[in-house]
Amino acid sequence: MTMDIGIHHLRCFLTLAEEQHFTWAADRLGLAQPTLSRQLRRLEERLGYRLVDRSTRHPRLTPEGRRLQAELHTLLPQLEAALKPAAEPQDLRLGYSWGFPLSLGRKVVAAMEDEHQLLVQLVRSDTRTAGLHNGSVDAALVWNISDDPRHTAIPILREPRVAAISRRSTLAVQSTVTWRDLGRRCIVLNTSSGTLTPDDWPPTATPEVGAEATNLEEYLHAIAARRGVGVLPASVAAANPDPDILYLPLSGAPAAVLSYVFPHDSPHPHVHTLAQAFQEEQQSRRPDPSPKQLAETLTHSSG
C-alpha cells in the first residue's frame, strides 16, 4: 500500500471528526462539501479501512476512526508546527510610562537595532507596568520594582530623586529641599504610574494629596499651578524642563530605581539581549553626580 497521505487529508478528517457534520466541517475548512468528501475517500483508500460510517444522517466514526482521531488530536498540531518555516523575530515593543530615560534608553536602543537588525518600538503606556499587564508590550522600563511573580524585573539604573516646585512657591527661594520639607506640603499624586504615595514619608511628616494626575504632563501642569509639590527621578526632571517649575536637589529621599521588566513565560526572543545591553551600558556610565553637580544640572534644565 502506498502511504502518500498529505497533511491536508488528515486535517480534513480531524475537522470532520470534531464537527460530525460534513457541511459544518467544510465551512470551517473553507472547502466545498464535495471536495471534503473526496479528500476523506482518498484518505480511506490509502489507509485501506473505513474511518467514517456514512449510513446515518450525521457521519459517525468507526472504531478505527476514533483511534485515529485520538492520535491526531495531539500529533497533527505538532507536525504542522514542525513543518512551518522558522519565523523571523518580530519588532520588540518596549513600554515606558513615568518618563523615558533619554540618554541611557536611546543609546541602548540604537545599539540594539544596529547590532541585531531589530526594530525596537517605544510604546508609552501610562500604567504601573507600562503595558505589560495587557500584553501590549514585550518588555518595559518602570520606575519601581515589580513584585508580580509573572514578571522578571532587573534593576538597571539607580539615581537620586529631585523636588519639583512651582516657581511661585515659597520653597523656590531655597537651593535644596529635604524629604521632610515636602512632607509638610501637599503633593501631586500620580495615580496611574507614579512610584510614591504619602505612606513613603515618615509618620511625623506625611503630606496630604493636593491634586491627582494620570500621566507626566498632567503631573507637571498641577505642580506649575501650585496644586502641590512633586518628586521625580533626576533624569526625568532634566528631560522635562518647564518654565514655571523649579527642580531642586532633594535630600533624605529614597533613591529612584529604574527596572527592566519582561514576562517569565514565552518572552520575546530578544528580551534577554536587551537586558544585557542595558546592564552593560549602565556599568560603563559615570557614577551618580554629586549634590553640587546635580544642582547645576537641574538649574540648567529648569532654565
Side-chain angles (χ1 to χ4, degrees):
M1 179 176 58
T2 303
M3 295 294 289
D4 53 341
I5 296 173
I7 288 181
H8 59 287
H9 296 116
L10 301 177
R11 176 52 63 190
C12 285
F13 164 71
L14 189 56
T15 303
L16 178 63
E18 293 170 350
E19 296 291 345
Q20 297 187 31
H21 195 289
F22 274 97
T23 301
W24 297 345
D27 287 343
R28 181 171 152 189
L29 291 165
L31 300 174
Q33 184 174 330
T35 302
L36 173 59
S37 297
R38 285 196 300 271
Q39 296 286 5
L40 181 60
R41 278 199 306 271
R42 288 171 184 167
L43 176 60
E44 290 176 327
E45 290 170 359
R46 290 165 184 175
L47 290 174
Y49 49 80
R50 299 291 296 274
L51 298 171
V52 177
D53 181 359
R54 298 170 177 79
S55 64
T56 59
R57 181 177 179 183
H58 295 295
R60 298 176 61 183
L61 299 182
T62 65
E64 288 294 342
R66 290 194 295 271
R67 181 193 61 78
L68 183 60
Q69 179 193 23
E71 296 286 350
L72 291 180
H73 184 74
T74 300
L75 295 177
L76 186 57
Q78 294 178 348
L79 180 59
E80 290 174 327
L83 294 178
K84 285 183 179 179
E88 292 294 326
Q90 297 178 339
D91 299 342
L92 193 154
R93 301 162 300 170
L94 180 62
Y96 71 96
S97 58
W98 193 229
F100 184 74
L102 293 180
S103 59
L104 172 66
R106 287 177 176 172
K107 186 173 183 179
V108 169
V109 167
M112 183 81 174
E113 292 183 336
D114 289 344
E115 183 175 350
H116 297 280
Q117 301 300 303
L118 176 76
L119 179 64
V120 179
Q121 295 182 349
L122 300 181
V123 180
R124 173 173 162 172
S125 176
D126 292 313
T127 62
R128 293 197 182 279
T129 62
L132 277 178
H133 68 289
N134 61 9
S136 60
V137 299
D138 302 301
L141 296 173
V142 294
W143 284 101
N144 57 324
I145 297 296
S146 172
D147 57 359
D148 191 323
R150 297 169 298 177
H151 299 154
T152 297
I154 302 175
I156 59 172
L157 180 62
R158 182 183 178 89
E159 65 180 35
R161 284 187 166 99
V162 301
I165 299 166
S166 168
R167 288 186 179 274
R168 295 180 289 152
S169 169
T170 56
L171 289 175
V173 298
Q174 300 183 196
S175 58
T176 62
V177 181
T178 69
W179 192 237
R180 285 184 173 273
D181 288 337
L182 294 191
R184 299 185 181 98
R185 304 276 175 147
C186 289
I187 62 169
V188 180
L189 182 68
N190 183 336
T191 59
S192 294
S193 56
T195 61
L196 293 172
T197 71
D199 293 337
D200 292 297
W201 272 264
T204 56
T206 302
E208 295 185 2
V209 177
E212 294 183 351
T214 59
N215 57 55
L216 184 56
E217 286 77 11
E218 291 178 1
Y219 191 79
L220 295 178
H221 289 324
I223 294 169
R226 298 185 68 184
R227 304 285 189 268
V229 297
V231 180
L232 291 173
S235 63
V236 176
N240 291 274
D242 188 299
D244 298 315
I245 293 177
L246 185 64
Y247 295 123
L248 295 177
L250 180 58
S251 62
V257 178
L258 181 68
S259 294
Y260 174 76
V261 188
F262 55 90
H264 274 314
D265 299 329
S266 303
H268 187 284
H270 283 285
V271 294
H272 294 285
T273 307
L274 186 57
Q276 184 177 0
F278 271 117
Q279 290 175 306
E280 291 176 351
E281 174 59 25
Q282 177 57 16
Q283 290 171 1
S284 68
R285 292 165 67 86
R286 290 178 297 178
D288 290 341
S290 65
K292 181 179 179 181
Q293 291 172 323
L294 180 59
E296 292 173 351
T297 300
L298 294 173
T299 301
H300 177 73
S301 67
S302 300

